[in-house]
Amino acid sequence: MPIRRIHYGELTLFDINWDDVLIPKITAYLSIKDLFNLRSCSRTALRLAEAALEMRTELHLSGNNSRNIELGFKVLSRCCRRLEHLHLASCKWLTDELLLPLLNNNKQRLSAVNLNECTNITALSLQPIIVQCKELRILKLSKCQWLTTGAVDALTLHQSKLVEFDISHCGAIGERCLIIFFRKLNKLTILSLANTPSVTDQVLIQIGNYCRELEHINLIGCAAISDYGVHALTKSCPHLQSLMVQRCPLVTERVLAPLRGRLHIDRPIMGYNLPAMQHRLYLQV
């Protein structure tokens, strides 16, 4: 009896199991641009691309200011549901209206948020990050002039597990606000306060008292700090590996010299006889 062949039609890429193969083994290696190209091929391709976006854990768009990106971002806001790392630094087009839906859909998992130089959003966008992102560990808000004392006060109430924090060039935050804030951050390892006018010796003392795990600190352009604050900080943070103090006129080699060799200091020695200075410091002690 002859064998009858049953014809089921031609197999395509989309017949491969999506959950076990296509999404974790193939689309996971495609860029966002690749997924959007795939999305435009057919209705089935659109469903696959959007299913892949839903499983994405990272979104990197920093510096991407290409034409009509706002339209693509609305698709991302709707589809992405499992983001853990969100990088949107220098996205000049970003607004509260665009960002809030994405944050609300991913607030349970987000652990790293980079909004450096996002100048067209407001403190309103921080609300879901501050209150509902319980897994938040990294927050970068450099050059966000909209960051206010009230927003930092809210961070103080809701976020105590940050390991990296950047508020460089944020001039609207007060000294007292920072002093209270750093009392809760005992897990902090990386801190950038560059060109933040309200950073004083008292702020550094609080950082030293409570942020004992600190490894790297950027104080470039903090004109109000002096040897007193830097000494208090470095004495209290045994894990400190780097100290950036360029353009800090009140910080002198008197406090920096004993630290050289123990940790990286961004400011070179200029016009000092280091051995002689260390000897004088030893005699003064």
Side-chain angles (χ1 to χ4, degrees):
M1 183 176 180
I3 298 175
R4 298 180 61 186
R5 297 184 181 274
I6 302 175
H7 183 67
Y8 290 101
E10 206 173 291
L11 292 176
T12 70
L13 171 70
F14 304 112
D15 293 313
I16 301 173
N17 186 282
W18 288 20
D19 293 334
D20 296 331
V21 180
L22 283 185
I23 292 176
K25 304 296 184 182
I26 298 178
T27 63
Y29 297 97
L30 299 180
S31 67
I32 296 296
K33 182 178 179 180
D34 293 333
L35 288 176
F36 270 83
N37 287 335
L38 176 64
R39 187 175 175 271
S40 65
C41 292
S42 68
R43 291 181 180 179
T44 306
L46 182 147
R47 292 198 299 272
L48 174 61
E50 294 193 350
L53 288 173
E54 184 177 346
M55 302 302 292
R56 283 273 160 143
T57 59
E58 297 188 7
L59 180 59
H60 294 265
L61 292 177
S62 293
N64 190 332
N65 293 286
S66 56
R67 186 179 179 183
N68 294 327
I69 191 172
E70 302 97 321
L71 299 176
F73 193 78
K74 289 180 180 179
V75 174
L76 296 172
S77 295
R78 174 171 54 83
C79 295
C80 295
R81 302 277 174 166
R82 297 172 179 265
L83 291 180
E84 297 174 10
H85 301 273
L86 178 61
H87 299 274
L88 300 172
S90 302
C91 290
K92 308 302 182 184
W93 46 269
L94 191 64
T95 63
D96 294 338
E97 183 181 5
L98 289 169
L99 181 57
L100 282 170
L102 181 71
L103 294 176
N104 287 326
N105 286 338
N106 295 275
K107 57 195 175 187
Q108 302 299 329
R109 297 173 179 265
L110 279 174
S111 64
V113 177
N114 184 348
L115 298 175
N116 285 348
E117 299 185 53
C118 289
T119 55
N120 290 317
I121 61 175
T122 71
L124 180 64
S125 287
L126 278 185
Q127 184 174 350
I129 297 174
I130 292 172
V131 178
Q132 297 171 308
C133 293
K134 302 302 183 183
E135 300 301 317
L136 193 65
R137 299 294 181 270
I138 298 172
L139 181 59
K140 298 184 179 184
L141 302 169
S142 175
K143 296 185 179 180
C144 294
Q145 300 302 326
W146 44 263
L147 182 66
T148 62
T149 292
V152 177
D153 286 341
L155 273 169
T156 304
L157 290 175
H158 296 281
Q159 297 292 340
S160 61
K161 299 177 182 179
L162 292 176
V163 297
E164 183 174 351
F165 189 50
D166 185 353
I167 51 170
S168 302
H169 300 268
C170 293
I173 308 170
E175 176 193 37
R176 177 181 171 278
C177 169
L178 290 178
I179 288 174
I180 296 172
F181 178 64
F182 287 118
R183 289 177 182 174
K184 290 190 65 177
L185 298 185
N186 58 8
K187 295 180 175 63
L188 200 65
T189 60
I190 302 174
L191 176 61
S192 183
L193 300 171
N195 296 287
T196 301
S198 54
V199 177
T200 64
D201 286 340
Q202 291 304 313
V203 173
L204 296 188
I205 290 169
Q206 291 301 312
I207 294 172
N209 287 339
Y210 294 95
C211 307
R212 297 295 184 91
E213 300 300 314
L214 195 64
E215 297 177 3
H216 307 279
I217 186 166
N218 183 348
L219 299 170
I220 291 174
C222 294
I225 65 172
S226 70
D227 286 353
Y228 179 73
V230 172
H231 175 70
L233 171 72
T234 54
K235 182 178 70 172
S236 302
C237 296
H239 303 292
L240 198 63
Q241 299 176 25
S242 67
L243 173 67
M244 303 178 73
V245 288
Q246 289 194 41
R247 300 196 301 278
C248 298
L250 301 180
V251 178
T252 71
E253 201 62 25
R254 178 185 178 89
V255 72
L256 297 180
L259 300 173
R260 295 188 185 276
R262 193 188 99 189
L263 52 86
H264 170 75
I265 297 174
D266 67 327
R267 195 164 79 187
I269 305 173
M270 299 181 65
Y272 293 101
N273 184 326
L274 182 57
M277 174 166 288
Q278 290 176 326
H279 179 66
R280 287 198 299 273
L281 290 170
Y282 174 78
L283 292 177
Q284 289 172 3
V285 174

